[in-house]
Amino acid sequence: MKATGIVRRIDDLGRVVIPKEVRRTLRIREGDPMEIYIGDDGEVVFKKYSPVASLDQFAGDYARSLHKVSGYAVLVCDRGKVIEAVGIPKKNIVGQPVSQELIDSGAGHNSQGIPLQKTQRFAPVEGQEYQAMVSAPILVDSDVDGFIVMLAKDEDSVAGESEIKLIQTAAVFISSLLSGY
């Protein structure tokens, strides 16, 4: 663990304020769920909860299926980082923060909860050269909790109707698992 040098007191209701700098760095927003862990040394650890990460094994299997059918590399991301990568080396990408552009791409979805795909090229992962060919948000209770991203093979790769439908189907299916319907 990394010390921040920031000290906060517990108030009379047992609350502790997480400093703005820490929230900004970890992309914690008001209303975000947090998991609380107690370490062997009596330490209390708050971890940003990710329903998408709880499906990591399943999401990996689904991503492998998408890759096998489409031939394109696939990423499964929560709102903060890459959970699974198939079709590219995982070592330098899994666990890496997603780009602000990917987060912003999740803003549009229709009233039935069907994700609208983004098909313009952008880098979905901070500090990586991979380009998204198509992406769709994973929605849980009308909130964006993650993304399915299909990466371009080269600069000439263009998402066709089948790639768009595959990504939309994956996003809707994972959304339904997380929403429980």
Side-chain angles (χ1 to χ4, degrees), residues 106-170:
H109 52 83
N110 68 18
S111 59
Q112 290 82 35
I114 304 297
L116 300 176
Q117 74 285 348
K118 179 162 183 169
T119 56
Q120 296 171 338
R121 292 287 176 86
F122 65 96
V125 183
E126 286 183 9
Q128 298 287 330
E129 294 181 16
Y130 299 109
Q131 292 288 303
M133 183 172 70
V134 63
S135 67
I138 297 169
L139 305 172
V140 179
D141 300 325
S142 299
D143 293 326
V144 176
D145 270 7
F147 303 89
I148 302 287
V149 181
M150 190 174 283
L151 300 176
K153 290 180 184 177
D154 55 42
E155 57 201 40
D156 297 326
S157 297
V158 177
E161 189 65 27
S162 60
E163 288 84 15
I164 292 169
K165 290 297 181 190
L166 280 171
I167 291 300
Q168 283 183 323
T169 302

Short mmCIF file of all heavy atoms in Angstrom, two decimals, residues 106-170:
data_model
loop_
_atom_site.label_atom_id
_atom_site.label_comp_id
_atom_site.label_asym_id
_atom_site.label_seq_id
_atom_site.Cartn_x
_atom_site.Cartn_y
_atom_site.Cartn_z
N GLY A 106 -19.76 6.51 -23.05
CA GLY A 106 -20.87 5.79 -22.46
C GLY A 106 -22.07 6.64 -22.13
O GLY A 106 -23.08 6.13 -21.65
N ALA A 107 -21.98 7.92 -22.39
CA ALA A 107 -23.07 8.83 -22.01
C ALA A 107 -24.35 8.57 -22.79
O ALA A 107 -25.43 8.84 -22.29
CB ALA A 107 -22.63 10.27 -22.19
N GLY A 108 -24.28 8.05 -24.01
CA GLY A 108 -25.49 7.89 -24.82
C GLY A 108 -26.03 6.49 -24.80
O GLY A 108 -25.36 5.54 -25.16
N HIS A 109 -27.26 6.33 -24.34
CA HIS A 109 -27.98 5.07 -24.50
C HIS A 109 -29.45 5.41 -24.56
O HIS A 109 -29.90 6.43 -24.03
CB HIS A 109 -27.67 4.07 -23.38
CG HIS A 109 -27.84 4.60 -21.99
ND1 HIS A 109 -29.05 4.65 -21.36
CD2 HIS A 109 -26.95 5.13 -21.13
CE1 HIS A 109 -28.90 5.17 -20.16
NE2 HIS A 109 -27.63 5.47 -20.00
N ASN A 110 -30.20 4.56 -25.25
CA ASN A 110 -31.60 4.93 -25.45
C ASN A 110 -32.46 4.56 -24.24
O ASN A 110 -31.98 3.95 -23.29
CB ASN A 110 -32.14 4.32 -26.75
CG ASN A 110 -32.26 2.80 -26.69
OD1 ASN A 110 -32.26 2.21 -25.62
ND2 ASN A 110 -32.36 2.18 -27.84
N SER A 111 -33.72 4.93 -24.28
CA SER A 111 -34.60 4.76 -23.13
C SER A 111 -34.88 3.30 -22.80
O SER A 111 -35.27 2.98 -21.68
CB SER A 111 -35.92 5.50 -23.36
OG SER A 111 -36.55 5.00 -24.52
N GLN A 112 -34.67 2.40 -23.75
CA GLN A 112 -34.85 0.97 -23.46
C GLN A 112 -33.58 0.35 -22.86
O GLN A 112 -33.54 -0.83 -22.59
CB GLN A 112 -35.23 0.20 -24.74
CG GLN A 112 -36.62 0.50 -25.25
CD GLN A 112 -36.65 1.76 -26.08
OE1 GLN A 112 -35.71 2.07 -26.80
NE2 GLN A 112 -37.74 2.51 -25.97
N GLY A 113 -32.56 1.15 -22.67
CA GLY A 113 -31.31 0.64 -22.10
C GLY A 113 -30.40 -0.01 -23.10
O GLY A 113 -29.39 -0.60 -22.73
N ILE A 114 -30.72 0.06 -24.38
CA ILE A 114 -29.85 -0.52 -25.40
C ILE A 114 -28.68 0.44 -25.61
O ILE A 114 -28.88 1.61 -25.89
CB ILE A 114 -30.58 -0.74 -26.74
CG1 ILE A 114 -31.84 -1.60 -26.54
CG2 ILE A 114 -29.65 -1.34 -27.79
CD1 ILE A 114 -31.58 -2.99 -26.05
N PRO A 115 -27.46 -0.04 -25.44
CA PRO A 115 -26.33 0.86 -25.60
C PRO A 115 -26.18 1.34 -27.03
O PRO A 115 -26.36 0.58 -27.96
CB PRO A 115 -25.12 0.01 -25.19
CG PRO A 115 -25.59 -1.37 -25.09
CD PRO A 115 -27.08 -1.40 -25.11
N LEU A 116 -25.90 2.60 -27.16
CA LEU A 116 -25.54 3.13 -28.47
C LEU A 116 -24.03 2.96 -28.61
O LEU A 116 -23.28 3.28 -27.70
CB LEU A 116 -25.92 4.61 -28.56
CG LEU A 116 -27.40 4.92 -28.39
CD1 LEU A 116 -27.63 6.42 -28.42
CD2 LEU A 116 -28.22 4.24 -29.46
N GLN A 117 -23.61 2.43 -29.71
CA GLN A 117 -22.20 2.17 -29.91
C GLN A 117 -21.46 3.40 -30.37
O GLN A 117 -22.04 4.26 -31.01
CB GLN A 117 -21.99 1.01 -30.89
CG GLN A 117 -22.25 1.35 -32.35
CD GLN A 117 -23.71 1.48 -32.71
OE1 GLN A 117 -24.59 1.10 -31.97
NE2 GLN A 117 -23.97 2.02 -33.88
N LYS A 118 -20.20 3.46 -30.02
CA LYS A 118 -19.34 4.52 -30.55
C LYS A 118 -18.44 3.85 -31.58
O LYS A 118 -17.77 2.87 -31.29
CB LYS A 118 -18.50 5.14 -29.44
CG LYS A 118 -17.58 6.23 -29.98
CD LYS A 118 -17.07 7.14 -28.93
CE LYS A 118 -16.23 8.21 -29.59
NZ LYS A 118 -15.88 9.27 -28.73
N THR A 119 -18.45 4.38 -32.80
CA THR A 119 -17.67 3.77 -33.87
C THR A 119 -16.55 4.67 -34.37
O THR A 119 -15.86 4.31 -35.30
CB THR A 119 -18.57 3.38 -35.06
OG1 THR A 119 -19.28 4.53 -35.49
CG2 THR A 119 -19.55 2.29 -34.67
N GLN A 120 -16.36 5.83 -33.77
CA GLN A 120 -15.23 6.67 -34.14
C GLN A 120 -14.00 6.17 -33.41
O GLN A 120 -14.08 5.74 -32.27
CB GLN A 120 -15.49 8.12 -33.78
CG GLN A 120 -16.65 8.72 -34.54
CD GLN A 120 -17.02 10.09 -34.01
OE1 GLN A 120 -16.71 10.44 -32.88
NE2 GLN A 120 -17.68 10.87 -34.84
N ARG A 121 -12.86 6.25 -34.06
CA ARG A 121 -11.61 5.78 -33.47
C ARG A 121 -11.21 6.62 -32.26
O ARG A 121 -11.28 7.85 -32.30
CB ARG A 121 -10.48 5.82 -34.48
CG ARG A 121 -10.62 4.85 -35.61
CD ARG A 121 -10.34 3.43 -35.11
NE ARG A 121 -10.54 2.47 -36.13
CZ ARG A 121 -9.63 2.11 -37.02
NH1 ARG A 121 -8.45 2.65 -37.02
NH2 ARG A 121 -9.92 1.22 -37.93
N PHE A 122 -10.76 5.96 -31.21
CA PHE A 122 -10.19 6.62 -30.04
C PHE A 122 -9.42 5.59 -29.24
O PHE A 122 -9.61 4.39 -29.42
CB PHE A 122 -11.29 7.29 -29.18
CG PHE A 122 -12.26 6.32 -28.57
CD1 PHE A 122 -12.08 5.88 -27.26
CD2 PHE A 122 -13.34 5.86 -29.28
CE1 PHE A 122 -12.97 4.98 -26.69
CE2 PHE A 122 -14.25 4.97 -28.71
CZ PHE A 122 -14.05 4.53 -27.40
N ALA A 123 -8.52 6.06 -28.40
CA ALA A 123 -7.74 5.17 -27.55
C ALA A 123 -8.56 4.88 -26.29
O ALA A 123 -8.82 5.79 -25.51
CB ALA A 123 -6.41 5.81 -27.18
N PRO A 124 -8.97 3.63 -26.07
CA PRO A 124 -9.81 3.32 -24.91
C PRO A 124 -9.05 3.19 -23.60
O PRO A 124 -9.65 3.21 -22.53
CB PRO A 124 -10.47 2.00 -25.30
CG PRO A 124 -9.48 1.35 -26.21
CD PRO A 124 -8.81 2.48 -26.95
N VAL A 125 -7.72 3.04 -23.68
CA VAL A 125 -6.92 2.82 -22.48
C VAL A 125 -5.82 3.87 -22.43
O VAL A 125 -5.11 4.11 -23.41
CB VAL A 125 -6.28 1.40 -22.49
CG1 VAL A 125 -5.50 1.15 -21.21
CG2 VAL A 125 -7.35 0.33 -22.69
N GLU A 126 -5.70 4.51 -21.26
CA GLU A 126 -4.67 5.55 -21.09
C GLU A 126 -3.28 4.98 -21.35
O GLU A 126 -2.94 3.89 -20.87
CB GLU A 126 -4.72 6.12 -19.67
CG GLU A 126 -5.89 7.03 -19.43
CD GLU A 126 -5.87 7.64 -18.04
OE1 GLU A 126 -4.85 7.50 -17.32
OE2 GLU A 126 -6.87 8.25 -17.69
N GLY A 127 -2.48 5.71 -22.11
CA GLY A 127 -1.10 5.34 -22.35
C GLY A 127 -0.89 4.17 -23.30
O GLY A 127 0.22 3.66 -23.41
N GLN A 128 -1.92 3.73 -23.99
CA GLN A 128 -1.81 2.61 -24.93
C GLN A 128 -2.15 3.10 -26.33
O GLN A 128 -2.93 4.03 -26.50
CB GLN A 128 -2.76 1.47 -24.54
CG GLN A 128 -2.49 0.87 -23.18
CD GLN A 128 -1.24 0.02 -23.17
OE1 GLN A 128 -0.85 -0.59 -24.16
NE2 GLN A 128 -0.59 -0.02 -22.02
N GLU A 129 -1.57 2.45 -27.33
CA GLU A 129 -1.79 2.86 -28.72
C GLU A 129 -2.98 2.16 -29.36
O GLU A 129 -3.39 2.53 -30.46
CB GLU A 129 -0.54 2.57 -29.55
CG GLU A 129 0.63 3.44 -29.13
CD GLU A 129 1.87 3.18 -29.97
OE1 GLU A 129 1.76 2.56 -31.05
OE2 GLU A 129 2.95 3.61 -29.54
N TYR A 130 -3.56 1.17 -28.70
CA TYR A 130 -4.69 0.45 -29.27
C TYR A 130 -5.83 1.42 -29.56
O TYR A 130 -6.08 2.34 -28.79
CB TYR A 130 -5.18 -0.64 -28.32
CG TYR A 130 -4.14 -1.68 -28.02
CD1 TYR A 130 -3.56 -1.74 -26.76
CD2 TYR A 130 -3.74 -2.60 -28.98
CE1 TYR A 130 -2.59 -2.70 -26.47
CE2 TYR A 130 -2.78 -3.55 -28.71
CZ TYR A 130 -2.21 -3.60 -27.45
OH TYR A 130 -1.26 -4.53 -27.17
N GLN A 131 -6.52 1.18 -30.67
CA GLN A 131 -7.64 2.03 -31.07
C GLN A 131 -8.93 1.23 -31.02
O GLN A 131 -8.99 0.11 -31.52
CB GLN A 131 -7.43 2.56 -32.49
CG GLN A 131 -6.28 3.54 -32.61
CD GLN A 131 -6.61 4.86 -31.96
OE1 GLN A 131 -7.59 5.51 -32.31
NE2 GLN A 131 -5.80 5.27 -31.00
N ALA A 132 -9.95 1.82 -30.42
CA ALA A 132 -11.27 1.19 -30.40
C ALA A 132 -11.90 1.31 -31.77
O ALA A 132 -11.85 2.37 -32.39
CB ALA A 132 -12.15 1.85 -29.35
N MET A 133 -12.47 0.22 -32.24
CA MET A 133 -13.21 0.24 -33.50
C MET A 133 -14.69 0.44 -33.20
O MET A 133 -15.38 1.17 -33.90
CB MET A 133 -12.99 -1.08 -34.25
CG MET A 133 -13.65 -1.13 -35.59
SD MET A 133 -13.18 -2.60 -36.53
CE MET A 133 -14.01 -3.89 -35.61
N VAL A 134 -15.17 -0.18 -32.13
CA VAL A 134 -16.55 -0.02 -31.68
C VAL A 134 -16.60 -0.35 -30.19
O VAL A 134 -15.86 -1.20 -29.72
CB VAL A 134 -17.53 -0.91 -32.50
CG1 VAL A 134 -17.24 -2.37 -32.33
CG2 VAL A 134 -18.97 -0.60 -32.16
N SER A 135 -17.44 0.38 -29.47
CA SER A 135 -17.60 0.12 -28.03
C SER A 135 -19.05 0.32 -27.65
O SER A 135 -19.80 1.02 -28.34
CB SER A 135 -16.71 1.05 -27.21
OG SER A 135 -17.14 2.38 -27.32
N ALA A 136 -19.44 -0.31 -26.54
CA ALA A 136 -20.79 -0.12 -26.01
C ALA A 136 -20.71 -0.17 -24.49
O ALA A 136 -19.93 -0.96 -23.92
CB ALA A 136 -21.73 -1.21 -26.52
N PRO A 137 -21.50 0.66 -23.83
CA PRO A 137 -21.48 0.67 -22.37
C PRO A 137 -22.26 -0.50 -21.77
O PRO A 137 -23.24 -0.96 -22.34
CB PRO A 137 -22.14 2.00 -22.01
CG PRO A 137 -23.04 2.28 -23.16
CD PRO A 137 -22.37 1.71 -24.37
N ILE A 138 -21.80 -0.97 -20.61
CA ILE A 138 -22.52 -1.95 -19.81
C ILE A 138 -23.34 -1.15 -18.81
O ILE A 138 -22.77 -0.40 -18.01
CB ILE A 138 -21.55 -2.91 -19.10
CG1 ILE A 138 -20.74 -3.70 -20.12
CG2 ILE A 138 -22.30 -3.83 -18.14
CD1 ILE A 138 -19.57 -4.47 -19.54
N LEU A 139 -24.66 -1.28 -18.87
CA LEU A 139 -25.56 -0.48 -18.05
C LEU A 139 -26.12 -1.32 -16.90
O LEU A 139 -26.59 -2.43 -17.12
CB LEU A 139 -26.72 0.05 -18.89
CG LEU A 139 -26.33 0.86 -20.13
CD1 LEU A 139 -27.56 1.16 -20.96
CD2 LEU A 139 -25.61 2.13 -19.74
N VAL A 140 -26.07 -0.76 -15.70
CA VAL A 140 -26.68 -1.38 -14.53
C VAL A 140 -27.57 -0.33 -13.89
O VAL A 140 -27.07 0.71 -13.46
CB VAL A 140 -25.62 -1.90 -13.54
CG1 VAL A 140 -26.30 -2.53 -12.32
CG2 VAL A 140 -24.70 -2.91 -14.21
N ASP A 141 -28.86 -0.60 -13.85
CA ASP A 141 -29.83 0.37 -13.30
C ASP A 141 -29.67 1.74 -13.96
O ASP A 141 -29.61 2.76 -13.29
CB ASP A 141 -29.69 0.47 -11.79
CG ASP A 141 -29.94 -0.85 -11.09
OD1 ASP A 141 -30.79 -1.61 -11.59
OD2 ASP A 141 -29.28 -1.13 -10.08
N SER A 142 -29.55 1.76 -15.26
CA SER A 142 -29.41 2.97 -16.08
C SER A 142 -28.11 3.73 -15.88
O SER A 142 -27.94 4.82 -16.41
CB SER A 142 -30.59 3.93 -15.85
OG SER A 142 -31.79 3.30 -16.20
N ASP A 143 -27.18 3.18 -15.11
CA ASP A 143 -25.86 3.78 -14.94
C ASP A 143 -24.82 3.00 -15.72
O ASP A 143 -24.88 1.77 -15.81
CB ASP A 143 -25.44 3.79 -13.46
CG ASP A 143 -26.30 4.70 -12.61
OD1 ASP A 143 -26.73 5.75 -13.13
OD2 ASP A 143 -26.53 4.36 -11.44
N VAL A 144 -23.85 3.69 -16.28
CA VAL A 144 -22.76 3.03 -17.00
C VAL A 144 -21.78 2.46 -15.96
O VAL A 144 -21.19 3.20 -15.20
CB VAL A 144 -22.03 4.02 -17.94
CG1 VAL A 144 -20.85 3.34 -18.61
CG2 VAL A 144 -22.99 4.57 -18.98
N ASP A 145 -21.66 1.13 -15.95
CA ASP A 145 -20.75 0.47 -15.02
C ASP A 145 -19.55 -0.16 -15.71
O ASP A 145 -18.66 -0.70 -15.05
CB ASP A 145 -21.48 -0.59 -14.20
CG ASP A 145 -22.07 -0.02 -12.92
OD1 ASP A 145 -22.00 1.21 -12.74
OD2 ASP A 145 -22.56 -0.79 -12.09
N GLY A 146 -19.53 -0.14 -17.03
CA GLY A 146 -18.40 -0.71 -17.75
C GLY A 146 -18.58 -0.58 -19.24
O GLY A 146 -19.52 0.08 -19.71
N PHE A 147 -17.68 -1.25 -19.97
CA PHE A 147 -17.67 -1.15 -21.43
C PHE A 147 -17.19 -2.46 -22.04
O PHE A 147 -16.34 -3.15 -21.48
CB PHE A 147 -16.71 -0.05 -21.89
CG PHE A 147 -17.02 1.29 -21.32
CD1 PHE A 147 -16.46 1.69 -20.12
CD2 PHE A 147 -17.90 2.15 -21.96
CE1 PHE A 147 -16.76 2.93 -19.57
CE2 PHE A 147 -18.20 3.39 -21.42
CZ PHE A 147 -17.63 3.78 -20.22
N ILE A 148 -17.72 -2.75 -23.21
CA ILE A 148 -17.19 -3.79 -24.09
C ILE A 148 -16.59 -3.04 -25.27
O ILE A 148 -17.26 -2.16 -25.86
CB ILE A 148 -18.29 -4.74 -24.61
CG1 ILE A 148 -19.03 -5.42 -23.47
CG2 ILE A 148 -17.71 -5.77 -25.56
CD1 ILE A 148 -18.24 -6.48 -22.75
N VAL A 149 -15.35 -3.35 -25.61
CA VAL A 149 -14.65 -2.62 -26.67
C VAL A 149 -14.06 -3.62 -27.64
O VAL A 149 -13.41 -4.58 -27.23
CB VAL A 149 -13.52 -1.73 -26.09
CG1 VAL A 149 -12.82 -0.96 -27.21
CG2 VAL A 149 -14.04 -0.81 -25.01
N MET A 150 -14.28 -3.39 -28.94
CA MET A 150 -13.63 -4.18 -29.97
C MET A 150 -12.55 -3.29 -30.57
O MET A 150 -12.82 -2.16 -30.98
CB MET A 150 -14.65 -4.61 -31.03
CG MET A 150 -14.11 -5.62 -32.02
SD MET A 150 -15.42 -6.22 -33.14
CE MET A 150 -16.31 -7.36 -32.07
N LEU A 151 -11.32 -3.81 -30.59
CA LEU A 151 -10.18 -3.03 -31.07
C LEU A 151 -9.96 -3.22 -32.56
O LEU A 151 -10.17 -4.31 -33.09
CB LEU A 151 -8.92 -3.43 -30.31
CG LEU A 151 -8.94 -3.24 -28.80
CD1 LEU A 151 -7.66 -3.76 -28.18
CD2 LEU A 151 -9.15 -1.77 -28.45
N ALA A 152 -9.51 -2.18 -33.21
CA ALA A 152 -9.20 -2.23 -34.64
C ALA A 152 -7.92 -3.04 -34.85
O ALA A 152 -6.99 -2.96 -34.05
CB ALA A 152 -9.02 -0.82 -35.18
N LYS A 153 -7.88 -3.81 -35.93
CA LYS A 153 -6.68 -4.57 -36.27
C LYS A 153 -5.62 -3.65 -36.88
O LYS A 153 -4.44 -3.83 -36.66
CB LYS A 153 -7.00 -5.67 -37.28
CG LYS A 153 -7.83 -6.79 -36.73
CD LYS A 153 -8.09 -7.82 -37.81
CE LYS A 153 -8.99 -8.91 -37.30
NZ LYS A 153 -9.33 -9.89 -38.33
N ASP A 154 -6.08 -2.70 -37.68
CA ASP A 154 -5.18 -1.76 -38.35
C ASP A 154 -5.95 -0.49 -38.66
O ASP A 154 -7.15 -0.39 -38.35
CB ASP A 154 -4.58 -2.38 -39.62
CG ASP A 154 -5.64 -2.89 -40.58
OD1 ASP A 154 -6.67 -2.22 -40.77
OD2 ASP A 154 -5.44 -3.99 -41.14
N GLU A 155 -5.31 0.45 -39.29
CA GLU A 155 -5.96 1.75 -39.55
C GLU A 155 -7.10 1.66 -40.56
O GLU A 155 -7.93 2.57 -40.64
CB GLU A 155 -4.92 2.78 -40.02
CG GLU A 155 -4.16 2.34 -41.25
CD GLU A 155 -2.83 3.07 -41.39
OE1 GLU A 155 -2.16 3.28 -40.38
OE2 GLU A 155 -2.50 3.41 -42.53
N ASP A 156 -7.18 0.57 -41.32
CA ASP A 156 -8.25 0.41 -42.30
C ASP A 156 -9.46 -0.33 -41.74
O ASP A 156 -10.48 -0.45 -42.43
CB ASP A 156 -7.73 -0.33 -43.54
CG ASP A 156 -6.64 0.46 -44.25
OD1 ASP A 156 -6.73 1.71 -44.24
OD2 ASP A 156 -5.72 -0.17 -44.81
N SER A 157 -9.37 -0.85 -40.52
CA SER A 157 -10.47 -1.61 -39.93
C SER A 157 -11.67 -0.70 -39.68
O SER A 157 -11.53 0.37 -39.10
CB SER A 157 -10.04 -2.24 -38.61
OG SER A 157 -9.00 -3.17 -38.79
N VAL A 158 -12.82 -1.18 -40.11
CA VAL A 158 -14.07 -0.44 -39.93
C VAL A 158 -15.10 -1.41 -39.37
O VAL A 158 -15.23 -2.54 -39.85
CB VAL A 158 -14.58 0.15 -41.26
CG1 VAL A 158 -15.91 0.84 -41.08
CG2 VAL A 158 -13.56 1.10 -41.86
N ALA A 159 -15.83 -0.97 -38.36
CA ALA A 159 -16.87 -1.82 -37.77
C ALA A 159 -18.03 -1.96 -38.75
O ALA A 159 -18.59 -0.98 -39.21
CB ALA A 159 -17.35 -1.22 -36.46
N GLY A 160 -18.36 -3.22 -39.04
CA GLY A 160 -19.54 -3.49 -39.85
C GLY A 160 -20.74 -3.74 -38.95
O GLY A 160 -20.64 -3.71 -37.72
N GLU A 161 -21.86 -3.99 -39.57
CA GLU A 161 -23.09 -4.22 -38.82
C GLU A 161 -22.95 -5.41 -37.86
O GLU A 161 -23.44 -5.37 -36.74
CB GLU A 161 -24.26 -4.46 -39.79
CG GLU A 161 -25.62 -4.50 -39.14
CD GLU A 161 -26.03 -3.18 -38.51
OE1 GLU A 161 -25.57 -2.11 -38.95
OE2 GLU A 161 -26.82 -3.22 -37.55
N SER A 162 -22.27 -6.47 -38.30
CA SER A 162 -22.13 -7.65 -37.43
C SER A 162 -21.27 -7.35 -36.20
O SER A 162 -21.60 -7.78 -35.09
CB SER A 162 -21.55 -8.84 -38.21
OG SER A 162 -20.29 -8.54 -38.73
N GLU A 163 -20.19 -6.59 -36.36
CA GLU A 163 -19.35 -6.24 -35.20
C GLU A 163 -20.13 -5.35 -34.22
O GLU A 163 -20.04 -5.53 -33.01
CB GLU A 163 -18.07 -5.53 -35.63
CG GLU A 163 -17.06 -6.43 -36.32
CD GLU A 163 -17.33 -6.61 -37.80
OE1 GLU A 163 -18.12 -5.85 -38.38
OE2 GLU A 163 -16.75 -7.54 -38.38
N ILE A 164 -20.89 -4.41 -34.76
CA ILE A 164 -21.70 -3.53 -33.91
C ILE A 164 -22.72 -4.35 -33.13
O ILE A 164 -22.87 -4.18 -31.91
CB ILE A 164 -22.38 -2.43 -34.76
CG1 ILE A 164 -21.32 -1.48 -35.31
CG2 ILE A 164 -23.43 -1.68 -33.94
CD1 ILE A 164 -21.83 -0.52 -36.37
N LYS A 165 -23.41 -5.26 -33.80
CA LYS A 165 -24.42 -6.08 -33.13
C LYS A 165 -23.78 -7.02 -32.10
O LYS A 165 -24.36 -7.25 -31.03
CB LYS A 165 -25.24 -6.89 -34.15
CG LYS A 165 -26.16 -6.04 -34.99
CD LYS A 165 -27.20 -5.36 -34.12
CE LYS A 165 -28.15 -4.53 -34.96
NZ LYS A 165 -29.01 -3.68 -34.14
N LEU A 166 -22.61 -7.56 -32.41
CA LEU A 166 -21.93 -8.42 -31.43
C LEU A 166 -21.61 -7.66 -30.14
O LEU A 166 -21.85 -8.15 -29.04
CB LEU A 166 -20.62 -8.98 -32.02
CG LEU A 166 -20.73 -10.16 -32.96
CD1 LEU A 166 -19.37 -10.44 -33.62
CD2 LEU A 166 -21.22 -11.39 -32.22
N ILE A 167 -21.08 -6.45 -30.29
CA ILE A 167 -20.72 -5.64 -29.11
C ILE A 167 -21.97 -5.21 -28.35
O ILE A 167 -22.01 -5.25 -27.12
CB ILE A 167 -19.85 -4.43 -29.54
CG1 ILE A 167 -18.48 -4.92 -30.00
CG2 ILE A 167 -19.71 -3.42 -28.41
CD1 ILE A 167 -17.68 -5.69 -28.97
N GLN A 168 -23.01 -4.79 -29.06
CA GLN A 168 -24.26 -4.42 -28.39
C GLN A 168 -24.85 -5.61 -27.63
O GLN A 168 -25.30 -5.46 -26.49
CB GLN A 168 -25.28 -3.89 -29.39
CG GLN A 168 -25.03 -2.49 -29.85
CD GLN A 168 -26.12 -2.00 -30.79
OE1 GLN A 168 -26.64 -2.76 -31.61
NE2 GLN A 168 -26.46 -0.74 -30.67
N THR A 169 -24.85 -6.77 -28.27
CA THR A 169 -25.39 -7.97 -27.62
C THR A 169 -24.60 -8.32 -26.36
O THR A 169 -25.19 -8.63 -25.32
CB THR A 169 -25.38 -9.16 -28.60
OG1 THR A 169 -26.15 -8.81 -29.75
CG2 THR A 169 -25.95 -10.42 -27.96
N ALA A 170 -23.29 -8.24 -26.45
CA ALA A 170 -22.45 -8.52 -25.28
C ALA A 170 -22.75 -7.55 -24.15
O ALA A 170 -22.90 -7.95 -22.99
CB ALA A 170 -20.97 -8.45 -25.66
#
